[in-house]
Each structure stands twice: as C-alpha cells, then as structure tokens.
C-alpha cells in the first residue's frame, strides 16, 4: 500500500462532518509509515479547508475537476465544463425532468438561477443567485448542478443518461434530487490515476474508500476498494471489500488492519 484515496462525507467524516480522533490517528500512522493520503471528494476546495482540519496533502475536489493542495490552499489543476455542453444538458433535462433548476460550481461559489431551490446552510456565504439561466454561463465553472425535489438522485442520473448521454459525465454523491454534471471523461478515477502516474504509484498499490456512486470509479480503479458499511447499494455491490460505517470509524478500522 503506497497511497490511500478516501472520500470525505459519509466515508472519512462522521455524520456531523467531524473527523474522529481514531481516524485522525490512523491517517497519521499511515503517513508516518510512508503512505500518502489523498482526499477524493465531490466537495469544492472551500469545503476541504473547513472539513479536513489538521490534515495536509492533496485533495481531488469537485468529482475530479479540481486538484487542490491543502497546505498551500492552491488549485493545482482544473478541468472546466464547457458552456456548450452545460447548455445542451440543461436544455435536455428541462424537457425531461419535473421542476428542475440549475446551478454551477466554480470552485469558489455556487451560482444558481431562480428555479434552483436547493440551499445548503453550511455554504450560504458562497451561494450567489443570478437572474436567469443564461447568466450561469458568464464565468468558468467545473460542475453543473441540477436539482429537482420530485426525484431521487438515482432518478436524476438515469434521466440525464437517457436524454444527454455522451455530452457530459453524470453522477451523484447522495443528495436527494441532486445531479452533478462534469465534463465528459472527468471523474474521480481519472484525476486519481493522473496524480498516481505523476508519483509513480501503480493502481495495485492504492487503497480506496467510498460510499456513493461518484466513488465507484476510484473503488474499481484502485487495487483494493472498500465500501463503507453505510454505502449506497450500488457501491456495496461493486466494491472488493466492506468496512464499518463512517459513524463506526470504518476507514480507521481498515487502515489499522492493513498496517498490522
């Protein structure tokens, strides 16, 4: 094991978004043993700064669209979503999905049009309303967000695949009714593979942890992929191994076992 790749929400973090002492100690023990720890998350860098308190290293953010240096708080690379693709996907979804609204994640802010009614209190300072859908396309962005309170996240992914397959990458990280759209070919596994190639780390030497469909690619790519005990059913079915839930410090338990 040369590298640990772990999701944050629902995986490394407990439900109150804190990092337990046991988990922090396990990560530090791994680092002391020469294992690099990389955070691979749907969250943008601003959330990593808030959630990964006391940790350093690299984070792959926004489902692979941003690679971020936690220590220096600098974006190392970014893979934006083209406006043409975002326009096409949003137009197709507006025809196919009931009461859908759209926002975009820039890495610094979430900009949203009036139909996008999802609000995240913990991110209120970064939320920026715009007057109309076309106003979303005036700044570079890494993800298109589509939300409908009338559908599950799985249903949103299925709808997007049905009406806009090939135009972008579609996934979700567990939010009810929230679809996350990245540029075609952009995902957690691609960004992780590129990072590992730079470091000379083979997939077989990577251990990955995740709980949601957006984690499936890294669990399949890594030499060993662990599904959390609280994981989505598709993740539980696809992963090589299963550990305890995030509330039970499942990542720490697996790392402790691997290091003994």
């Amino acid at each position: 094991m040369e590298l640990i790749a772990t999701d944050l929400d629902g995986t490394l973090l407990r439900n109150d978004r804190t990092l337990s002492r046991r988990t922090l100690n396990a990560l530090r023990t791994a680092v002391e043993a020469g294992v690099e720890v990389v955070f691979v998350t749907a969250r943008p860098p601003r959330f990593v700064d808030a959630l990964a308190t006391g940790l350093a290293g690299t984070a792959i953010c926004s489902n692979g669209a941003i690679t971020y240096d936690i220590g220096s708080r600098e974006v190392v690379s970014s893979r934006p979503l083209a406006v043409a693709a975002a326009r096409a996907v949003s137009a197709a979804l507006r025809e196919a999905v009931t009461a859908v609204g759209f926002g975009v994640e820039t890495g610094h802010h979430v900009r949203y049009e009036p139909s996008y009614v999802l609000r995240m209190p913990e991110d209120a300072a970064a939320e920026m309303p715009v007057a109309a859908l076309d106003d979303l396309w005036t700044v570079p962005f890494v993800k298109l967000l589509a939300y409908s309170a009338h559908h599950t996240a799985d249903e949103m992914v299925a709808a997007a695949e049905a009406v806009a397959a090939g135009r972008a990458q579609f996934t979700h990280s567990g939010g009810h009714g929230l679809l996350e759209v990245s540029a075609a070919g952009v995902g957690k596994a691609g960004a992780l593979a590129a990072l590992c190639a730079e470091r000379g780390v083979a997939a077989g030497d990577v251990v990955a942890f995740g709980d949601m469909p957006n984690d499936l690619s890294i669990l399949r790519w890594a030499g060993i992929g662990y599904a959390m005990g609280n994981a989505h059913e598709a993740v539980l079915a696809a992963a090589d191994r299963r550990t305890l839930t995030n509330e039970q410090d499942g990542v720490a338990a697996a790392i402790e076992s691997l290091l003994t």
Side-chain angles (χ1 to χ4, degrees):
M1 177 174 64
E2 294 187 31
L3 188 144
I4 292 169
T6 178
D7 177 47
L8 289 176
D9 294 276
T11 299
L12 195 69
L13 303 174
R14 290 184 169 177
N15 293 340
D16 62 0
R17 297 197 178 96
T18 61
L19 192 66
S20 74
R21 175 57 55 184
R22 180 185 179 188
T23 298
L24 184 57
N25 287 341
L27 294 176
R28 286 175 173 167
T29 300
V31 171
E32 289 168 1
V35 179
E36 182 175 4
V37 176
V38 176
F39 307 105
V40 190
T41 178
R43 295 286 197 173
R46 62 184 178 275
F47 271 97
V48 174
D49 290 336
L51 297 177
T53 304
L55 301 174
T58 302
I60 292 170
C61 300
S62 300
N63 289 332
I66 294 174
T67 301
Y68 181 65
D69 186 293
I70 299 171
S72 65
R73 296 195 171 187
E74 293 182 353
V75 173
V76 177
S77 63
S78 179
R79 305 161 189 84
L81 175 61
V83 169
R87 283 182 184 274
V89 171
S90 60
L93 284 173
R94 186 141 276 173
E95 293 294 323
V97 176
T98 304
V100 64
F102 299 95
V104 293
E105 171 63 63
T106 71
H108 300 290
H109 300 97
V110 172
R111 293 161 56 88
Y112 61 91
E113 49 97 8
S115 297
Y116 186 84
V117 297
L118 179 66
R119 299 291 177 272
M120 294 187 177
E122 70 271 25
D123 202 29
E127 293 181 341
M128 300 178 61
V130 299
L133 180 65
D134 282 345
D135 295 327
L136 294 178
W137 321 134
T138 59
V139 298
F141 51 91
V142 294
K143 281 200 301 186
L144 174 68
L145 305 172
Y147 175 74
S148 172
H150 299 273
H151 299 275
T152 67
D154 288 324
E155 289 169 346
M156 293 290 285
V157 172
E161 293 286 3
V163 300
R167 292 186 175 274
Q169 192 78 29
F170 307 115
T171 191
H172 77 81
S173 53
H176 179 84
L178 181 62
L179 169 71
E180 300 170 47
V181 184
S182 303
V186 171
K188 288 187 173 186
L192 179 61
L195 184 145
C196 287
E198 291 174 0
R199 286 155 167 73
V201 176
D205 293 319
V206 177
V207 177
F209 297 89
D211 71 309
M212 283 293 160
N214 64 328
D215 299 316
L216 279 169
S217 65
I218 62 167
L219 298 184
R220 289 168 173 157
W221 181 82
I224 298 175
Y226 277 93
M228 304 304 294
N230 52 287
H232 186 282
E233 59 185 12
V235 177
L236 290 170
D240 302 313
R241 302 185 187 180
R242 185 180 303 186
T243 187
L244 302 174
T245 71
N246 64 318
E247 284 289 292
Q248 297 168 319
D249 298 333
V251 173
I255 291 174
E256 291 162 0
S257 176
L258 290 166
L259 291 175
T260 55

